[in-house]
Amino acid sequence: MTIAVYPGTFDPLTRGHQDIVRRACDLFEKIILGVAESPNKNPFFTLEERVLIAEEVFGKNQQVTVHGFTGLLRDFLYEHKAKVIIRRL
């Protein structure tokens, strides 16, 4: 199973983010939306609020899970055994 992580602050979570996740679901078996704490960016929503919003949006999609994280993305990938990072261009 290929696990992919889509990292970001998601402050706010946009339709563009949702579209990227939808497209990634066609390519990978499991998508982890990694909601980064990023206190230096002064996010409008708290980490917990951003995670709850994302869970509400993607709750019906069995392929997508949402996890908040602090620290390095590398460590988050290792923790979840992910091999792919999803980024938009």
Side-chain angles (χ1 to χ4, degrees):
M1 173 189 309
T2 304
I3 300 172
V5 170
Y6 182 23
T9 55
F10 304 107
D11 186 47
L13 183 67
T14 67
R15 299 264 183 186
H17 295 130
Q18 293 174 45
D19 184 56
I20 290 169
V21 171
R22 181 184 55 79
R23 291 171 187 244
C25 285
D26 293 337
L27 300 172
F28 306 105
E29 290 86 13
K30 182 177 179 183
I31 310 296
I32 299 172
L33 194 76
V35 182
E37 183 176 37
S38 299
N40 294 338
K41 289 187 174 183
N42 297 318
F44 183 74
F45 296 106
T46 67
L47 176 61
E48 293 79 19
E49 289 171 328
R50 290 180 279 141
V51 167
L52 287 173
I53 292 167
E55 287 175 340
E56 180 71 26
V57 169
F58 296 111
K60 294 181 182 176
N61 189 330
Q62 298 290 325
Q63 283 180 267
V64 180
T65 59
V66 179
H67 297 280
F69 74 98
T70 59
L72 298 176
L73 177 58
R74 177 188 67 91
D75 296 336
F76 185 75
L77 291 166
Y78 182 77
E79 178 184 337
H80 293 280
K81 298 178 177 66
K83 303 290 184 199
V84 177
I85 299 173
I86 300 168
R87 297 302 301 166
R88 65 184 190 144
L89 296 174

